[in-house]
């Protein structure tokens, strides 16, 4: 068994996909809104029996690997690495020559992290670092849990160590662990020297970089600042990382909300004291990518930031990003067949944002350690984002004066105007009107017209083309006989491959005929029933026609469960006969049109009479066949 097969045997596709999206039972299967395109009703179906998935909206589908590759933007080797860790499957021993570039870099960073951590825990050169971390209240258990390390004040120790493990200097440089000298020489030196190393992990717990803190006694000596981060590169992109999310995601789901702080120490301390649903934005405002990461786990965000200007600015920027991102657009035809783009209110405006005002002068780390009651009170009394803006903007204003009213409206109306939810917007306009003792209509008139306005885009759409209709019917027929293989022999007698629409459908049907003829000996002779082994037929199809055909087969198998899961054999028999007759009639009608056109051309050209008579005979025979089908 290959590692990928072992992973698939040990993982349940339902549980893996459930980590990314919300699933709802649908008979023996599960349904969900597809994460790969906007839609209003669920069209993604997961089959636990077949361990496959398919979206009937955007046509994506496959197994657990294809879902993770699509969702995470990974190559197969990277998805295998991720899923093997989930499944507890050991991959073959690392070989730098055979690994993909990204996996090589991941291995280099993880090897470096283990090296830095061992130095912190065991080496005398890290005595000052251990003392500082102990003074900050970090126990050995915490240091191990977060794999915190130390980089000695050396120019090349980590480079030498990694080269001894099989990595070359180009890999070490690309992983952000080394810097190339600027004198044109091909020489490298350590990027991190004499610093406490905080590993940065992605949501799947892969270490992709570091935040390195200089020891307090050495601050300012190297001219590089208190903190040095890994550079932007193939692994590390600060806009896509939330510190601690890989450890917090389970608690976020269980508790229903996430607490967002600024620094790594804030997160580590919070987790140490039992607040497991805390992540850090690392001192920057949330980006669209980070918001989308949090979307997997919750719509409830609580900012617990320092009560200083920087913390307030980060809150402002994050809220604006969330408001702009928290809109789902869909397209749907009206009764005249015109497509409209509009906001889907069922999937928009879902974010619930609150702000916790920490005790004065304290960051989360200090508040949790020295004033836990104050920290808990701040979380409990956290205010909705707009209430926070009201309190902060109105503090110190004299609202009984014209100047106070002007300043209040000038500050708050643009913020209210950014709210996409009209009900929420109306609530806060009226609240401000009451506070200022003015008519709400004047505030509406004064509100800047910069709020989110989505213009309707109307595009003519044609009725479903006949070819599309025949392809849908062809897929339904194949899905039915895959689910009810007892009707395969009947279908072979009634429907030729050319009656089906769609190249992949015809390929599957032709292979089904060949597979049936070669494996009919597996049928139960006493019942005369052919048993379709899905896995065996899928391997047959893959070997003879490649992955596009097997992907289409996966779709058909799920379609059979989705649309015909509640059918019994009697109902299925009626439906198979009906669709077969419809496809047959459609093919005959299409052929009649072709013949009529050819006959007209031949008559105008005074063509050979024998050829013309042959076409006329075929035309008459098809006409009779169509009449029989209509009876």
């Amino acid at each position: 068994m290959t590692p990928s097969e072992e992973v698939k045997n040990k993982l349940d596709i339902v549980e893996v996909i459930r980590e990314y999206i919300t699933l709802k039972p649908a008979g023996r299967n599960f349904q969900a809104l597809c994460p790969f395109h906007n839609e209003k009703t669920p069209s993604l179906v997961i089959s636990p029996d077949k361990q496959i998935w398919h979206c009937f909206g955007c046509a994506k589908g496959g197994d657990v690997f294809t879902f993770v590759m699509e969702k995470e933007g990974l190559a197969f080797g990277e998805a295998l690495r991720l899923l093997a860790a989930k499944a507890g499957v050991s991959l073959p021993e690392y070989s730098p020559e055979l690994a993909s570039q990204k996996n090589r870099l991941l291995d280099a960073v993880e090897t470096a992290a283990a090296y830095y951590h061992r130095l912190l825990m065991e080496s005398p050169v890290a005595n000052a670092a251990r003392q500082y971390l102990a003074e900050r209240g970090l126990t050995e258990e915490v240091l191990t849990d977060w794999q915190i390390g130390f980089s000695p004040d050396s120019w090349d120790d980590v480079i030498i160590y990694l080269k001894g493990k099989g990595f070359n200097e180009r890999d070490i440089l690309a992983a952000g662990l080394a810097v190339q000298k600027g004198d044109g020489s091909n020489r490298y030196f350590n990027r991190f020297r004499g610093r406490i190393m905080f590993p940065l992990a992605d949501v799947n717990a892969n270490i992709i970089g570091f935040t390195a803190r200089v020891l307090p006694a050495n601050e300012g000596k190297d001219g590089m600042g208190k903190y040095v981060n890994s550079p932007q590169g193939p692994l590390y992109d600060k806009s896509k990382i939330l510190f601690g999310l890989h450890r917090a995601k389970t608690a976020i789901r269980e508790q229903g909300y996430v607490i967002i702080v600024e620094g790594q120490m804030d997160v580590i301390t919070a987790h140490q004291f039992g607040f497991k649903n805390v992540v850090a934005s690392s001192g920057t405002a949330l980006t669209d990518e980070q918001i989308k990461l949090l979307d997997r786990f919750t719509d409830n965000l609580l900012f617990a930031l320092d009560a200083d200007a920087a913390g307030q600015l980060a809150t402002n920027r994050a809220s604006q990003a969330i408001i702009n991102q928290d809109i789902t657009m869909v397209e749907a035809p009206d009764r005249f067949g015109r497509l409209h783009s509009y906001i889907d209110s069922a999937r928009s405006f879902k974010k619930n944002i609150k702000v916790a005002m920490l005790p004065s002068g304290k960051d989360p780390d200090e508040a949790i350690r020295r004033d836990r009651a104050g920290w808990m009170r701040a979380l409990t009394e956290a205010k909705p984002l707009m209430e926070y803006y009201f309190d902060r903007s109105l503090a110190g204003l004299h609202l009984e004066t014209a100047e106070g009213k002007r300043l209040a409206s000038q500050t708050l109306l643009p913020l209210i105007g950014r709210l996409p939810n009209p009900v929420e917007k109306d609530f806060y306009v009226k609240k401000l009107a009451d506070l200022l003792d003015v008519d709400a209509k004047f505030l509406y008139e004064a509100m800047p017209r910069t709020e989110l306005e989505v213009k309707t885009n109307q595009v003519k759409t044609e009725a479903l083309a006949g070819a599309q209709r025949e392809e849908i019917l062809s897929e339904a027929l194949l899905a039915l006989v895959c689910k009810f293989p007892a009707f395969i022999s009947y279908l072979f007698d009634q429907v030729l491959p050319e009656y089906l629409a769609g190249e992949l459908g015809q390929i599957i049907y032709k292979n089904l005929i060949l597979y049936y003829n070669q494996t009919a000996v597996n049928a139960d002779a006493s019942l005369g029933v052919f048993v379709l082994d899905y896995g065996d037929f899928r391997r047959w199809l893959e070997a003879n026609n490649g992955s596009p055909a097997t992907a289409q087969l996966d779709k058909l198998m799920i379609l059979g469960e989705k649309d015909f899961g509640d059918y019994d054999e009697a109902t299925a028999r009626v439906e198979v006969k009906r669709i077969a007759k419809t496809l047959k009639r459609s093919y005959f009608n299409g052929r009649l049109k072709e013949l009529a056109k050819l006959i007209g051309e031949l008559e105008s050209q005074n063509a050979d009479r024998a050829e013309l008579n042959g076409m006329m005979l075929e035309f008459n025979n098809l006409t009779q066949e169509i009449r029989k089908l209509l009876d």
Side-chain angles (χ1 to χ4, degrees):
M1 186 180 296
T2 66
S4 61
E5 290 171 339
E6 189 177 358
V7 167
K8 288 169 70 172
N9 279 343
K10 290 190 175 183
L11 290 179
D12 180 0
I13 192 172
V14 173
E15 295 306 316
V16 173
I17 294 181
R18 185 176 275 138
E19 291 186 15
Y20 295 91
I21 55 177
T22 301
L23 306 183
K24 293 183 179 180
R28 295 174 63 180
N29 302 315
F30 290 84
Q31 286 186 334
L33 292 169
C34 179
F36 307 121
H37 76 288
N38 288 332
E39 62 179 9
K40 195 170 184 179
T41 56
S43 60
L44 186 144
V45 180
I46 303 103
S47 169
D49 295 339
K50 304 292 189 302
Q51 289 291 294
I52 55 178
W53 64 279
H54 186 84
C55 174
F56 292 90
C58 65
K60 295 182 188 294
D63 58 14
V64 66
F65 283 99
T66 57
F67 185 90
V68 171
M69 289 164 66
E70 187 75 30
K71 194 72 180 71
E72 299 281 0
L74 302 177
F76 176 79
E78 296 157 1
L80 175 60
R81 178 193 182 100
L82 188 159
L83 292 173
K86 289 181 183 292
V89 172
S90 297
L91 297 178
E93 188 174 349
Y94 170 74
S95 170
E97 295 78 16
L98 300 178
S100 70
Q101 183 192 23
K102 185 171 183 180
N103 276 344
R104 286 201 310 273
L105 302 185
L106 284 171
D107 280 314
V109 174
E110 290 186 358
T111 303
Y115 173 73
Y116 291 140
H117 178 65
R118 187 170 66 253
L119 288 180
L120 175 69
M121 304 301 288
E122 301 174 3
S123 175
V125 301
N127 285 338
R130 284 194 294 271
Q131 182 179 349
Y132 167 74
L133 292 169
E135 290 171 355
R136 293 294 302 267
L138 301 188
T139 64
E140 286 192 8
E141 182 182 2
V142 171
L143 297 178
T144 300
D145 282 347
W146 291 90
Q147 209 170 349
I148 298 171
F150 181 73
S151 57
D153 192 7
S154 166
W155 290 100
D156 58 3
D157 69 307
V158 75
I159 294 175
I160 293 172
Y161 179 79
L162 291 174
K163 288 172 72 174
K165 293 292 184 179
F167 299 97
N168 59 51
E169 290 176 331
R170 291 187 303 276
D171 291 335
I172 300 169
L173 178 68
L177 298 166
V179 176
Q180 189 171 9
K181 287 197 173 185
D183 57 5
S185 64
N186 197 27
R187 299 174 62 190
Y188 301 86
F189 58 88
N190 293 340
R191 176 177 294 276
F192 305 108
R193 302 183 304 279
R195 290 175 177 265
I196 298 170
M197 306 297 292
F198 294 91
L200 303 174
D202 63 19
V203 68
N204 299 309
N206 295 311
I207 300 176
I208 44 81
F210 298 92
T211 287
R213 191 203 193 285
V214 70
L215 291 173
N218 297 330
E219 287 184 21
K221 291 183 179 180
D222 60 4
M224 296 181 66
K226 184 185 292 186
Y227 291 96
V228 174
N229 289 336
S230 291
Q232 293 280 114
L235 296 183
Y236 177 65
D237 182 344
K238 65 180 180 181
S239 67
K240 297 179 181 179
I241 298 297
L242 284 165
F243 183 79
L245 182 58
H246 66 295
R247 299 177 66 89
K249 58 187 180 182
T250 300
I252 292 170
R253 275 205 184 96
E254 291 174 349
Q255 298 182 43
Y257 74 105
V258 59
I259 300 172
I260 301 167
V261 297
E262 287 190 82
Q264 284 95 352
M265 281 299 301
D266 296 327
V267 173
I268 293 170
T269 298
H271 282 245
Q272 182 179 353
F273 283 81
F275 302 96
K276 305 290 189 182
N277 60 331
V278 178
V279 301
S281 59
S282 299
T284 62
L286 287 186
T287 64
D288 288 345
E289 290 86 354
Q290 291 167 332
I291 295 166
K292 288 173 184 175
L293 274 176
L294 292 173
D295 276 345
R296 297 189 198 174
F297 312 107
T298 186
D299 290 320
N300 302 308
L301 282 62
L302 191 156
F303 289 92
L305 305 177
D306 300 2
D308 57 16
Q312 293 177 11
L313 182 61
T315 306
N316 293 349
R317 290 176 178 169
S319 65
Q320 184 170 2
I322 290 167
I323 289 170
N324 292 336
Q325 190 262 351
D326 194 27
I327 290 180
T328 299
M329 299 297 297
V330 294
E331 278 192 346
D334 62 15
R335 62 192 182 92
F336 301 108
R338 295 172 299 193
L339 283 179
H340 294 261
S341 296
Y342 64 94
I343 294 177
D344 180 3
S345 58
R347 298 184 64 200
S348 300
F349 324 132
K350 297 192 301 179
K351 297 289 188 306
N352 175 30
I353 310 167
K354 291 186 176 182
V355 179
M357 299 300 294
L358 298 183
S360 179
K362 293 189 172 120
D363 58 21
D365 175 33
E366 186 179 3
I368 293 170
R369 291 186 184 279
R370 300 187 182 181
D371 187 8
R372 185 165 180 171
W375 162 259
M376 294 289 292
R377 186 166 54 253
L379 298 182
T380 304
E381 297 176 355
K383 295 184 177 181
L385 180 64
M386 194 54 67
E387 298 283 351
Y388 161 78
Y389 284 146
F390 266 71
D391 288 350
R392 200 187 73 201
S393 301
L394 299 180
L397 294 182
H398 299 287
L399 298 184
E400 69 280 4
T401 67
E403 179 65 9
K405 295 178 191 291
R406 184 185 68 79
L407 289 173
S409 60
Q410 185 178 4
T411 303
L412 287 170
L413 282 179
L415 298 173
I416 297 171
R418 288 210 313 266
L419 294 172
N421 190 324
V423 174
E424 190 178 5
K425 184 185 298 182
D426 184 64
F427 172 83
Y428 284 111
V429 168
K430 290 177 178 176
K431 175 174 180 172
L432 182 59
D434 289 341
L435 290 170
L436 301 183
D437 193 22
V438 300
D439 194 313
K441 70 178 182 180
F442 297 123
L443 296 181
Y444 272 112
E445 291 173 1
M447 186 180 296
R449 297 305 171 189
T450 56
E451 58 212 72
L452 293 166
E453 297 174 340
V454 181
K455 296 181 179 179
T456 301
N457 178 28
Q458 296 185 353
V459 181
K460 288 185 177 180
T461 183
E462 297 179 358
L464 190 64
Q468 291 176 300
R469 176 176 175 271
E470 306 315 320
E471 195 161 340
I472 291 171
L473 287 172
S474 299
E475 288 183 347
L477 183 62
L478 289 173
L480 266 168
V481 296
C482 285
K483 182 167 177 59
F484 297 95
F487 302 122
I488 284 179
S489 58
Y490 165 82
L491 193 64
F492 293 165
D493 291 337
Q494 299 297 319
V495 176
L496 297 176
E498 56 263 33
Y499 294 177
L500 300 181
E503 181 182 359
L504 287 176
Q506 290 185 4
I507 289 173
I508 290 173
Y509 188 51
K510 289 174 184 176
N511 276 272
L512 194 58
I513 294 173
L514 294 172
Y515 180 80
Y516 174 82
N517 289 331
Q518 290 197 22
T519 59
V521 292
N522 294 329
D524 187 323
S526 63
L527 298 176
V529 175
F530 171 68
V531 178
L532 178 64
D533 185 325
Y534 163 73
D536 190 45
F537 179 55
R538 191 180 191 278
R539 286 188 289 273
W540 163 295
L541 196 60
E542 175 80 35
N544 290 289
N545 295 275
S547 55
T550 54
Q552 181 69 4
L553 178 64
D554 290 344
K555 174 185 177 181
L556 295 173
M557 299 303 292
I558 290 182
L559 183 65
E561 295 291 338
K562 173 177 172 286
D563 289 355
F564 312 116
D566 57 349
Y567 278 32
D568 55 23
E569 288 213 356
T571 307
R573 181 183 297 106
V574 172
E575 192 68 0
V576 166
K577 289 183 176 180
R578 182 190 71 80
I579 297 176
K581 183 183 288 188
T582 301
L583 288 174
K584 201 171 183 179
R585 187 169 64 242
S586 176
Y587 176 80
F588 289 167
N589 280 326
R591 181 60 182 159
L592 277 181
K593 291 178 182 178
E594 291 177 7
L595 287 171
K597 182 179 179 182
L598 289 171
I599 290 170
E601 291 175 353
L602 290 174
E603 287 179 337
S604 66
Q605 298 169 3
N606 294 319
D608 178 67
R609 197 67 198 173
E611 184 179 4
L612 187 60
N613 288 340
M615 288 188 179
M616 290 293 296
L617 179 61
E618 183 182 356
F619 187 93
N620 291 332
N621 289 338
L622 284 175
T623 302
Q624 292 177 16
E625 289 294 328
I626 290 174
R627 286 174 181 165
K628 290 178 185 177
L629 291 171
L630 292 174
D631 292 340

